[in-house]
Amino acid sequence: MNSLLVAPAIMVGIGLFFGTILAIAQRFLKVDEDPRIEVTNELLPGTNCGACGQPGCLPFAEKLVAGTVDPSQCTVSTKENIEQIAEFLEVDAGSQEKLVSRLRCNGGGLQAHQIAEYQGFEGCRAAAMVSGGGKGCSWGCLGLGDCEVACTFDAIHMNKNGLPQVDTEKCRACPDCVAACPRDLFELVPLSQNLFVQCNIPLAGEAATQLCSVACDACGKCVADAAPGLIRMENNLPVIDYSAGGPAAPEAVFRCATRSIVWLEGEQFQDQESRKAGGV
Amino acid sequence: MKQRDPDLLLFHAPLLRQGMTTPKAMRDVLLALAPATLASMWFFGLSAVLILASCIGGAVAAEWLFADRQARGESLRDASCVLTGLLLGLTLPPGLPLWMAFLGGFIGIALGKVIWGGLGQNLFNPALLGRAFLLATFPIAMTTWVPAVTDGGFLQVYPGNLALPFMQVQIDAMSSATPLGLMKFEQEVTPLTNLMFGKTTGSLGETSGLLLLLGGVFLWLRRDLDWRIPVSILVTVVVFSAILGLFDADRFPSPLFSVFSGGLLLGAIYMATDPVTSPVTPKGAWIFGIGTGVLVMLIRVFGGLPEGVMYAILLMNAATPLIDRYTQPRVFGRGGDSQ
Amino acid sequence: MKNNQSYEEFIKGVWRDNPVFAQVLGMCPMLAVTNSAVNAVAMGMATFFVLVGSSFLVSSFRNWIPKQVRISCFIIIIATFVTIADYTLLALVPKVHKELGAFIPLIVANCLILGRQEAFASRYPTRLAVMDAVGMATGFLLALFSLGAVREILGDGALFGVKLFGANFEPWVIMILPPGGFLTLGVILLFFNWFKFKKDEFLEDVAEAERSGH
Amino acid sequence: MTAGANRETVTPSSLRLVLTLAIAGLISGIAIIGIYESTLPTITANKARELREAVFKVLPGVSQMQALVYRDGELVVVEEAKKDEPVVYGGYDDSREFVGYAVPAAGPGFQDTIAILYGYQPAQKLVVGMEVLESRETPGLGDKIYKDAEFVGGFSALSIDPEIVAVKKGTSSNANEIDAITGATISSKAIVRIINETHTAWSGKLPAPGSEPSIKASEPTSAEGGQ
Amino acid sequence: MRAFRRLRRNFEHGVHPAHFKEQTADLPIQRVPFGKDYVMPLGQHIGVPAQAIVTAGERVTRGQLIAEPGGFVSTGLHSPVTGTVREIGDFRGVDGRFAPAIAIEADAFATQQVDAGDGIDWEALSLEEFIKAVQMAGIVGMGGAAFPAHVKLSVPDGVTIRHLLINGAECEPYLTTDHRLMLERPEALLEGAEIMRQKLGAEETVIGIEANKPDAIKIIQQHIAPGDPVRVVPLKVKYPQGAEKMMIKSVFNVEVPAGQLPRDVGVNVNNVGTIVAIADYFLRGIPLIERVVTVAGPGVTYPANLIVPLGTPVRDVVKFCGGLKPGTREMIMGGPMMGRPIASLDVPILKGCSGVLVFTEAETARRKEYPCISCGRCLEACPYFLNPSRLARLSKARMFDEMKAYNVFDCVECGCCTFACPSNIPIVQLIRTAKDDLTHRKEPDA
Amino acid sequence: MDNLPWIFISALLVNNFVLTYFLGLCPFLGVSNSLETSARLGLATTFVMLVTAVCAWVLNTYVLIHAPYLRLICFIVVIASTVQFIEMLIKKLSPALFRAMGIFLPLITTNCAILGLAIFATNRGYGFWEGIVYALGAGIGFTLALVLLAGLREEAELSSIPKLIQGTAMNLIIAGILSMAFMGFAGLFSST
Ligand SMILES: Cc1cc2nc3c(=O)[nH]c(=O)nc-3n(C[C@H](O)[C@H](O)[C@H](O)COP(=O)(O)O)c2cc1C
Ligand SMILES: Cc1cc2nc3c(=O)[nH]c(=O)nc-3n(C[C@H](O)[C@H](O)[C@H](O)COP(=O)(O)O)c2cc1C
Ligand SMILES: Cc1cc2nc3c(=O)[nH]c(=O)nc-3n(C[C@H](O)[C@H](O)[C@H](O)COP(=O)(O)O)c2cc1C
Ligand SMILES: Cc1cc2nc3c(=O)[nH]c(=O)nc-3n(C[C@H](O)[C@H](O)[C@H](O)CO)c2cc1C
Ligand code: SF4
Ligand code: SF4
Ligand code: SF4
Ligand code: SF4
Ligand code: FES
């Protein structure tokens, strides 16, 4: 029956022994490190995407704790997460408008002419290597979906017209697609800015429309119809500058025959035209 | 506009090709195996035909079944799954139930190829994977060997072949041991000439060493295989047995016995050389070959199994990514080895 | 309302967040002891007992245990339950205990159990914690059972030792060997994925139909 | 994932930590002791029964047994063998006559260590029974060493003078030869080797036939700690 | 082993494509008649584009400077014809993209004659003046890379050029421009070489010619005066014998270290055409306004070696050669191994274009792609000892950064790997894609 | 009885902890996505195993003979504390070593390969040196399996594995194949 005593004795002994050793160790072997960094890091999404401008989540966490960046600079986190971090670090979440990625091209397979047949690896950058992939407009979307592959958040899907459709809900404005596109067609714009130019051709008039039926022919009607200063022509393309004029109104796009300038609410290419194209 | 321009094709240079294509390489290997295949039919009669057909059937069935709907049949055209089936068949015992042979082919392709994404993506040799699966699943049937047909003629079929699916084999009364089994468990040496010309018990394709060598020479002439691999395997095996022979020539197999017995030639020439699952780099090929040779001898001499070629190759397949990574060739104009 | 939530916790563990199929936790006992259905179920029940018991305790004492030593305390609690299970099995079903061998004590290291304490039991009220544990443990038990059943049926032609296919069935020995464990679980997970994929596809189709309906 | 945000930030004193652990240990120790004490009798009884059954199986005709160890140059009867101390079991018939030893033995098999118990009759230098206690040999092949009645039966009167030899199936002719199992030669040979090796190890330590220790208690001894 | 290699006088690996040179090897160089429209892209060479110094509507004469170098790695541009500047704007170039160019409408009645003058007293020029002159003359490497020739002449301090290596390998199948130049203008070649050699201060001139051009080797050897520091080295026929680092290995048995230039081992490599252009400018005063182009391939009615004014649309060149045969599927600027397919017949002939090749269905049909089976043929082909198979797989998986560890930037895109690949993997394209991604990837602003 | 070389080979190849005993699968499946991490984790595990073997021997010899029923709880507590202590020590003494290996230590301590080692070694009645050799074999075997799997997984990343099977399912199947290949080692050095 002595085991009735032995067991608890051993247990308590071990508990005390190691508790003490660890307590001592804690005191003498402790390496100073702000514990908040680790906690913050765990609160971050851990995708290490670099959207925040830091090389990864841990460095961002370090900077957060140091107070040199705002939690909201992590565009990938959900709002709740950001608030949680802000609360934990007792800082202001900072406010950053939701950005989404928009495509400066509207010339899908049905509108932009193909001048030669491309054969080879199915990728935009790869196709661009071979005489521009055979697309007449050498500024437009090649439609082979490098961006679709690049997007970590599954926000891009090629629509049936061969253009990348960005899901505004899923897009976290990580700049993966911007970096991936060999034609440099993506732009991160605030979701609240509805006016958008979806063409990238610097040619004017017939030279442009000959290559793509929805090319901006630089007619200048949008400039005329918008509030003064809001839109100006640069390199044969309209440039919208919210700081220079305003307010933006949908009227600016009404007379654009090619829908090169559009008033967007939600996703791009939601209009009937591409829907129909999808059905073909 | 003037005369209409042709629709030009844009294809990245270079635009010329050497002429060899992957399906052609597969067909070459099939051709190289033809003599050994015919010999297996000579030795084992109709049973050999049935087993090979079942394996190929299983392999083709899996390839077809799991292909994309639109690409169905497309991947059959390169003949690589036929080759897998044939090679698997050649490694099976002649008395194996046909349903097991079919299953082996099916599993080999399904587990060894399809799930990896198809031709060229797999990291383990599909034929050997199929065999390893069979051996682990039906160890008794897979280690029951029957002697070559003596009388009975070509039309004879081993009763074991005809076992019902999922049912047990009635073990052949006339089962006998392979040269390696005899060596390992009875210390009995089979004469070398029998090993070379095929008068031995064993799996379908391994009995005739010389025909296998012949096919190997053909493949080497066609530049379809990396000669470093078979050469290094065989040399390693010879050296290993020679060294063992120095200790106790009676207990350990002689070098020539080691080379010509079991599946070594079949494995070294046709299976270890499977380009997909062996290293691409020349240095890697040497390491792969030496590793395989050492493992073969280790398992044969010190292991529990009489034959180790299959396991040796599979184990080296597993190490191939590592070998490849650490044997990158020296780049032109760079002194030391890169990486 | 409250009942509803408990039910949620329960069903979550059984299916949606199944510890094995969805979370890939507790793989070691999962594979090691599932070469027969009996062993699988015995292991599942032992795990059930340990998980539910320790969740109850941890959740009850969650406000007393200082954060710094919580892991150590959890481990002590779990280990106690495991020891109890170990001796009980040894006394009641020595045959099964022999088969399960060292894997009963290894329940202590089952990531599932410690994980549940850390993630759930130490934060939620006892009632929810127990429901969660019951759900998770049931999910684990079901997973163990399905794997054990497949392996025993193919590997031995039997279920719970009862021969299913008659005496002449050729057993698939690999199924009771280690590789069979890995392969079977891999294939089961494949089906799980396939099922999820089909479901997602279906949901997407529905969403698509709705969108174009507008 | 730790939702660290609402965790306490004040560090409790080391003393509290140590005490918490100690209390947890205390409670757990008591609980374990409880279960241990309450299951111990059943467990011990189970083990003893198992051992007895095994011993009776490998030594036909035996109805009583006792544990024997080799201490200070002679085989002595013990209640309980010390750890790391090789033990054999003496078997006696109804008339308290010595019948033979049941010897536990173990060694590497095809997969892993095989543990067996074999019955040995010193008078005729015969192995009279063999039982596999533990093995992980391949189902269908290696497991025949305990499933194959013919093989197990082969050990019922096998001369171990000078040692047992495993031969190919159907070729055993001498008293010290046993048929190996086809397809499981390695496991069969492993059993034979284990017996031979253990026999050699014990041979100098067993007393001359006839002078074996006589049975002490009429109750069978407990085998606690023997294995 | 080392000594054995030394004896071989060759580089390792490489491939042996069929030559296909019979079509044009014996055809003397002809001149294409002048047409109407000419387009001179401002960026015809590697480096910074030139800057136009003419405006729309301005009249220009043949040989007149119409654009100035836009920087050091840039050259002048001269009007290929006498006529009127029609427009300065974006035109489609060989790479399929639109780029700034000067469009000139040729004068229908001009003689288009340039007077071969006395040239320039090059011996009197200081090195700087000489380099400036080469730059203004618009001379770029005619071997394909179109690297401004004067840049190669500007040797930094501490580097001495000991050998001038003239690249007459012409290892690309089909092409015969260098071959014909060597046959028809050996004097010009040797004169140009002498100018270059003296200006570089090199000890000797070595002319490397593949052994399948014995006539060229013979003619040049005949023209070398005894005692001249010039020698001709016949080289084994093997692609890419003409790649400069390969040729240096073959001729001098020296490996140019990766990331370094031929000058770092004391060699200056120039194409035959470049040397002739030097001679033409300094001895006859003609800047680079035209070049020799081989028009060949199964789709051309009359293959030919042509002198083509720069800026001539491919359409005109093809028309002169009898037009395209039916079934034409593919047109390439340059050789079949490294050339660029073109998307339109309207693109102009540029300074770096040595050939226009036309392929038909028969050639394009057999490029069906199979998965890589890791056969290792590409490794055995790559003269740079890279691992093309791995590079291609990584690129397909878009793991571009990992490719740096496999020395992706050492690849010269010679195409040996793809040529050898039984699975027809577009390896070079995949490698170029990765290089492009790594160098041009738009990084988000931090 | 069991001799040291056989114990080593057995733990290393024939009865590889991961591939035939299914121990330590969590890190095996979780961390094997990168070769470098795997190698480091493997080394760290080997180290912890050695420590465990020593601890287990000490406990078995001096403590548990008095109270065998406390085996489990003692093992886990003692091993966990010892490793934690060593972790702190390394962190203090050599930050470089800590970064290379130390970060894995807490991860390893709670995995079942460690506890399994202690329990198996005890069940088999291994003495001090046998325990050390067993731990060494098991640790190196674990590392070997982990590194092989990591190599295979990194390579498989370049394969076009169907979406359905990517992830754990594929890892398990690769592990299964690996385990099948390791069956070739069965009986190694046990028959001769
Ligand atoms: C998967 C597999 C498992 C095996 N398991 C055992 C085993 O547990 N015990 C054994 O002795 N032989 C086993 N063997 C068979 C041996 O490797 C060897 O073939 C056999 O012992 C030779 O015996 P034989 O000469 O009597 O046919 C196994 C073979 C395989 C392929
Ligand atoms: C700053 C600079 C200096 C160069 N100097 C030399 C040189 O001295 N000799 C030379 O052959 N090439 C020189 N080059 C040119 C490169 O070698 C060039 O890539 C090469 O001539 C093109 O040849 P390829 O057709 O083989 O690519 C120089 C390039 C640069 C950027
Ligand atoms: C693969 C490859 C093949 C080449 N083949 C030739 C060739 O056949 N003839 C040639 O003059 N230059 C060839 N070059 C270009 C040379 O490397 C080198 O750039 C040129 O000879 C330098 O002379 P340039 O600047 O006058 O053109 C080749 C380059 C590469 C990369
Ligand atoms: C020389 C050579 C050997 C081959 N050996 C095998 C083999 O042993 N097993 C196999 O399944 N396929 C073999 N193949 C075919 C092919 O590579 C195999 O189906 C791929 O592994 C499937 O991805 C071989 C092909 C060649 C060219
Ligand atoms: S890749 Fe583009 S579309 Fe996808 S989340 Fe990032 S910014 Fe948005
Ligand atoms: S947007 Fe850019 S990357 Fe995306 S499909 Fe178009 S060209 Fe390709
Ligand atoms: S030659 Fe082609 S198939 Fe062969 S390894 Fe290279 S890329 Fe792969
Ligand atoms: S293209 Fe690049 S990788 Fe291919 S052979 Fe040439 S140098 Fe090597
Ligand atoms: S359950 Fe074994 S390591 Fe997690």
Side-chain angles (χ1 to χ4, degrees), chain C residues 25-29 109-111, chain F residues 22-27 110-113:
Chain C
L25 282 176
M27 281 291 154
C28 306
N110 187 333
C111 317
Chain F
F22 303 105
L23 291 175
L25 288 183
C26 297
T110 48
N111 96 40
C112 43

Side-chain angles (χ1 to χ4, degrees), chain C:
Chain C
M1 171 71 201
K2 208 161 195 179
N3 247 330
N4 220 350
Q5 201 182 345
S6 320
Y7 177 73
E8 270 290 297
E9 298 303 340
F10 174 72
I11 210 68
K12 180 185 75 184
V14 175
W15 180 247
R16 188 159 41 83
D17 285 345
N18 185 293
V20 175
F21 299 142
Q23 301 183 50
V24 203
L25 282 176
M27 281 291 154
C28 306
M30 180 70 198
L31 289 165
V33 302
T34 49
N35 48 10
S36 79
V38 176
N39 292 353
V41 169
M43 185 65 174
M45 293 198 321
T47 311
F48 189 104
F49 168 72
V50 174
L51 182 51
V52 175
S54 45
S55 281
F56 173 74
L57 273 191
V58 165
S59 166
S60 307
F61 292 97
R62 69 184 187 281
N63 295 328
W64 297 16
I65 302 173
K67 180 185 155 216
Q68 284 77 1
V69 292
R70 68 180 192 285
I71 301 278
S72 316
C73 286
F74 297 166
I75 289 182
I76 292 180
I77 293 176
I78 298 170
T80 310
F81 276 101
V82 173
T83 312
I84 294 175
D86 195 17
Y87 279 109
T88 315
L89 280 177
L90 184 56
L92 299 183
V93 276
K95 280 236 166 62
V96 174
H97 185 272
K98 191 176 164 192
E99 291 270 313
L100 295 182
F103 284 90
I104 301 262
L106 286 183
I107 296 177
V108 176
N110 187 333
C111 317
L112 169 66
I113 295 180
L114 194 61
R116 273 347 269 173
Q117 311 312 322
E118 172 72 3
F120 206 94
S122 61
R123 294 170 191 205
Y124 290 89
T126 317
R127 185 195 169 85
L128 282 186
V130 169
M131 276 326 276
D132 171 76
V134 170
M136 285 291 161
T138 313
F140 191 65
L141 178 69
L142 285 179
L144 278 168
F145 171 70
S146 50
L147 192 60
V150 171
R151 288 179 70 186
E152 187 177 349
I153 291 175
L154 279 176
D156 207 14
L159 189 60
F160 289 114
V162 181
K163 293 273 175 207
L164 298 180
F165 307 111
N168 270 338
F169 175 75
E170 174 78 29
W172 295 33
V173 178
I174 193 173
M175 286 297 162
I176 10 189
L177 297 180
F182 285 114
L183 294 178
T184 318
L185 186 56
V187 173
I188 290 182
L189 278 181
L190 175 64
F191 279 113
F192 199 77
N193 284 352
W194 184 73
F195 185 81
K196 265 205 306 215
F197 177 76
K198 282 283 161 205
K199 200 174 104 187
D200 285 354
E201 216 174 43
F202 175 73
L203 290 181
E204 206 140 276
D205 280 352
V206 171
E208 181 79 6
E210 259 170 25
R211 236 190 301 166
S212 54
H214 280 301

Side-chain angles (χ1 to χ4, degrees), chain B residues 115 117 121 123 129 302 304 311 325, chain F residues 154 159-160 162 180 184 186 189:
Chain B
I115 63 161
Q121 316 287 327
L123 300 180
L129 196 64
F302 301 108
Y311 286 118
R325 170 183 301 238
Chain F
E154 280 196 359
S159 299
S160 44
M180 211 144 84
F189 296 115

Side-chain angles (χ1 to χ4, degrees), chain E residues 46-60:
Chain E
I46 288 173
V48 193
Q51 273 170 348
I53 52 167
V54 289
T55 49
E58 199 172 318
R59 280 199 53 79
V60 289

Side-chain angles (χ1 to χ4, degrees), chain A residues 53 115-118 120-123 125-132 135-136 138-139 146 149 175 178-179 184 203 211, chain E residues 90 92 94-98 329 341-344 364 395-396 398 426 429-430 432-433 436-437 440-442 444 446:
Chain A
I115 56 167
E117 178 191 347
Y118 167 70
F121 183 66
E122 293 252 328
R125 201 174 281 274
M129 292 285 123
V130 195
S131 249
K135 181 159 180 150
S138 72
W139 296 272
D146 275 4
V149 179
V178 179
D184 210 355
L203 303 181
L211 295 172
Chain E
D90 287 333
R92 194 185 298 279
V94 178
D95 62 0
R97 302 195 184 190
F98 286 75
R329 259 338 290 282
I342 52 175
S344 146
T364 57
S395 176
K396 277 194 172 179
R398 290 178 165 80
Q429 183 185 15
L430 290 164
R432 277 190 65 208
T433 306
D436 186 66
D437 187 278
H440 295 299
R441 187 177 182 90
K442 189 179 167 203

